[in-house]
Amino acid sequence: MFSPALEALVDALRCLPGVGPKSAQRMALHLLERDREGAQVLALALGEAAERVGRCQRCRNLTEAPVCAICEDPRREAAVLCVVETPADVLAIEQAGGYRGRYFVLMGHLSPIDGIGPEDIGLDRLQTLVQEQGVEEVILATNPTAEGEATAWYLTDLLAADGVRMSRIAHGVPLGGELEYVDGNTLMHAFSGRLPVSR
Amino acid sequence: MFSPALEALVDALRCLPGVGPKSAQRMALHLLERDREGAQVLALALGEAAERVGRCQRCRNLTEAPVCAICEDPRREAAVLCVVETPADVLAIEQAGGYRGRYFVLMGHLSPIDGIGPEDIGLDRLQTLVQEQGVEEVILATNPTAEGEATAWYLTDLLAADGVRMSRIAHGVPLGGELEYVDGNTLMHAFSGRLPVSR
Ligand SMILES: [Zn+2]
Ligand SMILES: [Zn+2]
């Protein structure tokens, strides 16, 4: 390539998920030909975020404050806690709207094969939080994968001892989804999770 | 969103071409959860490139030196000059391999509607370069669009006066491309540009 600085930029852009060599090149050229200001703004935002964003002391979500805005918000019900695997899950639920409780972010899931045990996903802190915050219901929203399910079961056992009401979010055919396009696992899950109807 | 620094990063990532709100969010979370070092490296590379990359005094390509590596390379034929619209075109030709001449990068094309005239795409400098560098052949590799074609015709008139051999790269059905998937314009171009064959 014709410039070491450009080459370094193309290489660095490849740390972004879903960005291959071709799109890294397209991004770098776009910024240098047409949006130098955008490049400077992005450089600053990256530096600031990488340096300042840490984890909430209470829920482990990403935040630059000691305690995140959701945990600090007095309008969010402290008695309901939703357990998710990642900050992206929190965003998805917040963007869907409607949920008024708080969160606990595992930042992963139990995975004995990878050596990830209960403390690595903050379960000691979760148990303390449930007790201190007076949590009455825990909604398990870990992913419907083998690891996510195993984590949900582990949590059920762990927190049942504290007399907390436990629930698992429903899994099945997405609303508006056509049956023929839903994958087989989801479909079988929807069948085994069928609910009685009456009129 | 739960953190102003994270929100600023998501916004800033949207200056990248092809990055919408969802993928900007995915990128930001990925960097903060799993690749802080990558974020710092990218911040640095962006700042450096935005500050240091300018244009080659000779060919107008992006470079951080006064004259770019291709123009400086004594093994590249100075007598052959390929005129392209953008640095991305240079990269595409270089990555295809085989071309051993030099380049001139217009950084655009003639567009009277947008007020882009000959001097805006450096044609005064191109004419000087052709004379000073002893260019014997100019290969016109502007895009096969209305503006690219008009620019190629303008250049043909401009440089013919200097006694330079002018050529236009071939356009037609891509090698390995199946006729049925080639767009109509390309196909018609391929027909009108047909060459006699004999055996
Ligand atoms: Zn929090
Ligand atoms: Zn040059």
Side-chain angles (χ1 to χ4, degrees), chain A residues 57-137:
Chain A
Q57 286 169 6
R58 231 178 278 173
C59 74
R60 294 184 27 122
N61 199 0
L62 294 173
T63 176
E64 59 215 273
V67 174
C68 79
I70 294 177
C71 285
E72 289 279 35
D73 186 347
R75 292 163 304 176
R76 308 286 302 225
E77 296 171 43
V80 184
L81 194 72
C82 176
V83 179
V84 295
E85 294 187 22
T86 68
D89 299 331
V90 175
L91 282 179
I93 296 169
E94 288 296 294
Q95 281 157 10
Y99 176 66
R100 300 301 305 155
R102 295 186 185 170
Y103 295 94
F104 187 83
V105 185
L106 301 172
M107 291 282 182
H109 45 235
L110 290 177
S111 181
I113 298 173
D114 304 312
I116 299 170
E119 289 190 12
D120 301 306
I121 57 172
L123 297 196
D124 43 349
R125 193 178 306 172
L126 171 60
Q127 211 164 9
T128 312
L129 183 73
V130 164
Q131 287 153 8
E132 285 177 357
Q133 199 173 278
V135 172
E136 292 165 14
E137 180 182 1

Side-chain angles (χ1 to χ4, degrees), chain B residues 56-61 63 66-72 103:
Chain B
C56 174
Q57 286 169 5
R58 230 178 276 173
C59 74
R60 293 182 28 118
N61 199 0
T63 177
V67 174
C68 80
I70 294 177
C71 286
E72 289 279 35
Y103 296 94

Side-chain angles (χ1 to χ4, degrees), chain A residues 2-5 9 15 19 25 27 29-33 35-36 42-43 46 49-50 53 61-62 64 87-88 91 95, chain B residues 2-5 9 15 25 27 29-33 35-36 42-43 46 49-50 53 61-62 64 87-88 91 95:
Chain A
F2 35 75
S3 149
L9 176 54
C15 75
V19 175
Q25 188 178 298
M27 288 172 171
L29 291 173
H30 169 88
L31 291 173
L32 292 176
E33 284 170 45
D35 195 7
R36 299 256 170 159
L42 179 54
L46 280 163
V53 174
N61 199 0
L62 294 173
E64 59 215 273
L91 282 179
Q95 281 157 10
Chain B
F2 34 74
S3 150
L9 177 55
C15 74
Q25 187 178 299
M27 287 172 172
L29 291 174
H30 170 88
L31 291 174
L32 292 177
E33 284 170 45
D35 196 8
R36 300 259 167 156
L42 179 54
L46 281 162
V53 174
N61 199 0
L62 293 172
E64 58 215 273
L91 282 179
Q95 280 157 10

Side-chain angles (χ1 to χ4, degrees), chain B residues 98-179:
Chain B
Y99 176 66
R100 299 304 302 155
R102 294 185 186 171
Y103 296 94
F104 187 82
V105 184
L106 301 172
M107 290 283 182
H109 46 235
L110 289 177
S111 180
I113 299 174
D114 303 311
I116 299 171
E119 288 190 12
D120 300 306
I121 57 171
L123 297 196
D124 43 348
R125 192 178 305 175
L126 171 59
Q127 213 166 5
T128 312
L129 183 74
V130 164
Q131 285 153 11
E132 283 176 357
Q133 200 174 277
V135 172
E136 292 164 13
E137 180 180 2
V138 167
I139 300 171
L140 301 168
T142 52
N143 288 328
T145 57
E147 294 86 355
E149 292 291 352
T151 306
W153 282 113
Y154 187 94
L155 280 165
T156 307
D157 288 345
L158 183 76
L159 299 175
D162 296 326
V164 178
R165 209 159 63 246
M166 306 289 294
S167 61
R168 179 99 175 97
I169 57 164
H171 296 107
V173 177
L175 293 187
E178 290 181 62
L179 273 197

